[in-house]
Amino acid sequence: MMNTIAQRLTEVRNQITEACHKAQRSPADVRLLAVSKTRSVAEIEQAVAAGQTEFGENYVQEGIGKIAELEHHSDLIWHFIGPIQSNKTRDIAASFSWVHSLDRAKIARRLNDQRADSLPPLNVLIQVNIDQEDTKAGVLPADIGQLAELIHSLPQLRLRGLMAIPSAAADTAERASSFASMQSLYSGLQAQYDQIDTLSMGMSDDLFAAIKHGATTVRIGTAIFGSRPSDKNN
Ligand SMILES: *Cc1c(COP(=O)(O)O)cnc(C)c1O
């Protein structure tokens, strides 16, 4: 493949627009998060030059290193989307604007306590283990309410919505059904809290289905940067 990152970004943006038209939604309502885990600063620079401003990272040390190196781009917005260990919350709270993978009370309290008062509240999404997989992070649907209530009470966190990664083993129909369940859980949360505006779901392979079921943020890695030979993540 001779395509450049800029060309692939254009293609992904076109797919988002097409998916929105099919779903009778406005393309302005879907944000593209470029998942840059394992990618070099030089590759991220190419995406930035092509107009991409939001990036997602899965590994704390790797992420904060890149954030520091790219600090001269003052308009970049960094999202933490990987599993969170409690000894990493301080670095996450200091360097990221968003966390998509919040799934327990202890981590919520630590992020709140460690987020500096000089920074705006950290935007957080509750990760939902929508297919109830033993090995996957995330709260079960029945436990969203309790965690949401805690987050809502913490001043340095701002609850913005939900995130999910459907089972890799799911077929197209099963995945659509998981996305539909997420859409309904998301509506339930919106009915309870004012500021809920983000449903993060959909990756390179299932962006159309996710947008059809109301995703407001899609997290795309491979389709922008190419395949990840060195991927450490599942
Ligand atoms: C790696 C990753 C993505 C991107 O996946 P692609 O298939 O490369 O688009 C999205 N979300 C999370 C949580 C990831 O870890």
Side-chain angles (χ1 to χ4, degrees):
M1 290 277 269
M2 297 296 289
N3 287 346
T4 64
I5 288 171
Q7 286 166 334
R8 286 192 294 246
L9 255 176
T10 302
E11 193 154 311
V12 170
R13 290 186 187 124
N14 289 341
Q15 284 173 10
I16 292 172
T17 302
E18 195 188 325
C20 285
H21 285 318
K22 276 194 182 157
Q24 301 191 301
R25 300 181 56 198
S26 164
D29 294 341
V30 179
R31 292 161 88 164
L32 171 57
L33 180 60
V35 175
S36 48
K37 63 180 175 212
T38 77
R39 312 299 176 169
S40 67
V41 166
E43 289 173 293
I44 297 172
E45 287 275 15
Q46 289 178 46
V48 173
Q52 181 64 27
T53 54
E54 306 210 44
F55 292 91
E57 290 284 336
N58 293 57
Y59 311 105
V60 178
Q61 290 324 116
E62 179 189 326
I64 61 176
K66 291 178 196 172
I67 293 171
E69 281 191 68
L70 289 158
E71 215 168 26
H72 54 285
H73 294 291
S74 57
D75 57 340
L76 300 189
I77 300 171
W78 293 93
H79 299 241
F80 189 77
I81 63 174
I84 307 175
Q85 295 165 312
S86 51
N87 64 349
K88 297 289 168 60
T89 51
R90 186 172 300 280
D91 285 335
I92 294 172
S95 297
F96 287 85
S97 298
W98 285 76
V99 169
H100 290 222
S101 43
L102 188 52
D103 67 355
R104 39 196 212 284
K106 178 185 173 190
I107 299 293
R109 291 201 186 88
R110 287 179 69 93
L111 288 170
N112 177 70
D113 294 347
Q114 294 168 344
R115 181 74 168 177
D117 289 336
S118 57
L119 293 174
L122 185 62
N123 297 296
V124 301
L125 306 178
I126 295 175
Q127 182 172 351
V128 182
N129 185 355
I130 193 62
D131 294 319
Q132 318 211 357
E133 297 169 275
D134 289 342
T135 55
K136 193 156 276 167
V139 300
L140 295 177
D143 298 331
I144 294 171
Q146 199 180 4
L147 185 57
E149 206 176 303
L150 171 69
I151 295 168
H152 190 65
S153 75
L154 299 172
Q156 282 300 88
L157 299 186
R158 187 166 176 79
L159 180 63
R160 299 289 293 268
L162 302 176
M163 177 271 226
I165 312 171
S167 163
D171 63 26
T172 308
E174 288 164 342
R175 198 163 294 206
S177 139
S178 301
F179 286 145
S181 303
M182 284 300 298
Q183 184 169 31
S184 121
L185 294 167
Y186 177 68
S187 310
L189 198 64
Q190 276 187 315
Q192 282 197 312
Y193 301 100
D194 282 341
Q195 75 282 9
I196 306 299
D197 58 6
T198 305
L199 178 55
S200 167
M201 60 187 195
M203 318 205 299
S204 296
D205 292 335
D206 54 17
L207 163 167
F208 273 81
I211 288 175
K212 181 176 172 198
H213 292 288
T216 68
T217 296
V218 291
R219 308 180 308 266
I220 310 292
T222 315
I224 296 171
F225 294 106
S227 60
R228 270 185 307 270
S230 61
D231 199 349
K232 295 172 274 184
N233 192 43
N234 46 83

